[in-house]
Amino acid sequence: MSPAELLDLLGRPFMQRALLAALLTGLAAPAIGTFIVQRRLALLGDGIGHVAVTGVALGLLTGTSPTWTAVVVAILGAVLIEVIREKGHTNGDVALALLFYGGLAGGVLITGLAGDGAAGLQVYLFGSVTSISSTEVWYTAGLALVVLTLTLGLLPQLFAVASDPEFAKVAGLRVRAYNLLVAVLAAVSVTVAMRTVGLLLVSALMVVPVATSQQLARSFRSTLLWAMVLGGVAAVGGLVVAAWLSARATVAPGPSIVLLALAMFAATWPVGVWLRRRRRLAEPFPALGTGTSGPHEVDEHPHQHGDDCGHPAVPHDDHLDYVHDGHRHAPHGEHYDEH
């Protein structure tokens, strides 16, 4: 396909709707995915995606919008997953696996009862963003706006809960409520992305841009912002690549989006290794005088050592003697006759 033909294709209404939906998905999925990765629950999106298949099937069976039935079932599944995870039973992972596979199997069964078969589920399993309607674009925009507003508006609280739940609880935050909120937002993000990358690949768009951003960013806030940027680039770029290749073969946008995101990670991984090595060489040890009070953090104190000590006075604990430069020193107010 020539550049002129590609521009003509991108200017058509259905491609403009697809580009907008892809951009919204690329922004929303990594935004909540950053907190999921921080909590070491990278496969949570994959599990919710399996459960959402049942929601899509219920929509096909009842003749209602599969998007909204998927939202409801995905939220219920996310809450159940979070409750099971919070209980911390030894068989919790088995229960989650049963829930995941049950959601997928139930979706396929209900779709068959609806008379659509596996073909009716195909666009939701692997995505079909080019066939998205104007109404579905509005649904996607509204759900993505909810995810972005709550994620960015509650950034300090969600970060505290995701990083150190015990500290957040002591600080007065409702840890359980915020964990449930993250699970619910993840469920909404899954349904936002199901027409773009599909329910089986949605977890990649929630995790891979975050992993790529972690190679370059040094703070959590910058990681989140860069993940959103990279997610948007991957979603829009993957759609454009699929459109360009459509002249030679049938290429689904979902896989091309995920593969582009993985290629971005592979390209930045050596840079991340080099940056981390450079930081370790630049600051091999913490700077003196920046931490809590310790034995070697300031240059002067009123304690006097012996005449032949041979080094400047160094502060130390008032109740413990210590060894410095091969000499043993006494607590404040005392000194040993021999070093």
Side-chain angles (χ1 to χ4, degrees):
M1 180 180 294
S2 66
E5 292 174 332
L6 178 61
L7 290 176
D8 179 67
L9 178 60
L10 295 178
R12 296 180 183 179
F14 78 94
M15 279 301 297
Q16 292 178 350
R17 293 194 298 268
L19 288 170
L20 179 58
L23 177 61
L24 293 171
T25 302
L27 294 175
I32 191 63
T34 306
F35 298 97
I36 293 176
V37 173
Q38 182 72 18
R39 293 176 60 191
R40 295 178 176 84
L41 296 174
L43 295 180
L44 178 64
D46 190 46
I48 296 175
H50 283 71
V51 175
V53 175
T54 299
V56 172
L58 288 174
L60 296 175
L61 178 65
T62 59
T64 57
S65 172
T67 300
W68 291 112
T69 54
V71 169
V72 173
V73 174
I75 290 176
L76 293 176
V79 172
L80 183 58
I81 290 172
E82 180 61 28
V83 170
I84 294 175
R85 188 201 62 82
E86 186 183 32
K87 296 300 181 180
H89 296 313
T90 55
N91 59 344
D93 57 337
V94 177
L96 293 179
L98 294 175
L99 183 64
F100 297 167
Y101 301 135
L104 182 59
V108 174
L109 176 63
I110 295 174
T111 303
L113 295 176
D116 290 328
L121 210 56
Q122 183 80 10
V123 296
Y124 299 99
L125 291 179
F126 299 101
S128 181
V129 68
T130 54
S131 63
I132 192 170
S133 65
S134 299
T135 302
E136 289 174 321
V137 171
W138 282 111
Y139 290 164
T140 301
L143 294 174
L145 183 61
V146 170
V147 173
L148 292 173
T149 300
L150 292 177
T151 300
L152 298 178
L154 298 174
L155 177 59
Q157 294 90 331
L158 295 179
F159 170 72
V161 172
S163 300
D164 193 341
E166 297 300 326
F167 173 79
K169 185 178 297 185
V170 172
L173 296 178
R174 300 175 63 182
V175 174
R176 177 179 296 178
Y178 283 115
N179 284 336
L180 288 174
L181 177 61
V182 170
V184 170
L185 292 179
V188 174
S189 298
V190 166
T191 56
V192 167
M194 70 179 180
R195 289 301 301 270
T196 305
V197 295
L199 293 174
L200 297 184
L201 296 175
V202 63
S203 184
L205 195 57
M206 299 175 71
V207 172
V208 177
V210 179
T212 305
S213 178
Q214 288 177 334
Q215 303 298 319
L216 306 175
R218 300 191 63 177
S219 67
F220 183 84
R221 187 183 298 271
S222 60
T223 298
L224 186 147
L225 295 178
W226 273 111
M228 293 173 60
V229 172
L230 294 171
V233 171
V236 174
L239 179 58
V240 173
V241 169
W244 179 66
L245 294 175
S246 62
R248 299 181 178 87
T250 302
V251 178
S256 64
I257 290 172
V258 174
L259 289 175
L260 180 57
L262 290 171
M264 295 167 64
F265 173 79
T268 57
W269 180 74
V271 179
V273 173
W274 177 75
L275 287 175
R276 288 189 293 272
R277 182 174 182 275
R278 183 179 179 184
R279 290 165 190 161
R280 285 196 301 267
L281 293 176
E283 297 180 5
F285 301 103
L288 296 179
T290 59
T292 56
S293 177
H296 294 162
E297 291 180 358
V298 293
D299 295 331
E300 299 182 71
H301 69 90
H303 177 64
Q304 298 294 325
H305 297 291
D307 295 335
D308 58 345
C309 187
H311 63 80
V314 182
H316 52 80
D317 194 290
D318 288 342
H319 305 289
L320 300 174
D321 57 346
Y322 68 105
V323 176
H324 183 75
D325 287 351
H327 303 288
R328 184 165 177 266
H329 301 281
H332 285 279
E334 304 175 13
H335 66 273
Y336 294 109
D337 293 333
E338 295 182 359
H339 292 284

